Amino acid sequence: MSVQIRAIYESSYLNIISTIFKDLGLPRLIDRLVPVNPQCQTRASDVVWLLTLDILSGRQALVHVERWAHDIDLPKLIRLGLSPSWFNDDAIARHLYRLYDANIHAVLSACLVQIYKKEGIPLRVFHADTTDVSVYGTYESASPDALRITHGYNRHHRWQKQIGFGLIGNEDGIPFYGDVHDGNLPDKTWNPEVLSRVQKQLKQAKIEEEWIYPILPP
């Protein structure tokens, strides 16, 4: 009897992460929020799943994800029938656009709410903070509702072109809300706006008890 070995993959922590991702029901949820395109060989959930594994294993640039995908057991980690060659940077970018068009903040919020509900994670006290990332070049918004990459003051009070990031988590640091916002949005404006969104997510997660929202001085 002859045995043919087609590929050898390292058994690593990615198997655990992939199992958790699946057990939380995130692929099915993402496929519902970003409907599967029958003309595509891949799904938005496949890309989110793959990029999650990528970020937690060293974070390849998008142009190198396809090459990295050849080094992992893709059918086992994500789903049967997938080929690494389907995850070139153009294919990934198309799904990222689809996620954005489906309201990326709503998709992220739905995933986080599902995690809290499924795991029964407590959320009596939560912490919020923002940060910024500086960018270079010229950016033009396609519409007034699009993200504004513009000048603003960073954490060191320097005037620079930037975008902002906000994150809210519970007392154990588990994220409950996250967003990307205009580069010139100050914290004093972001805080009250985000509170209404968080309250809506709390109701979705059926977390009815009183909660504390500490706002730290800048």
Side-chain angles (χ1 to χ4, degrees), residues 163-192:
I163 55 177
F165 294 88
L167 184 66
I168 294 177
N170 72 349
E171 56 265 43
D172 295 318
I174 301 174
F176 183 73
Y177 173 89
D179 69 13
V180 182
H181 51 262
D182 296 347
N184 60 353
L185 184 69
D187 284 359
K188 64 181 180 181
T189 303
W190 182 81
N191 274 300

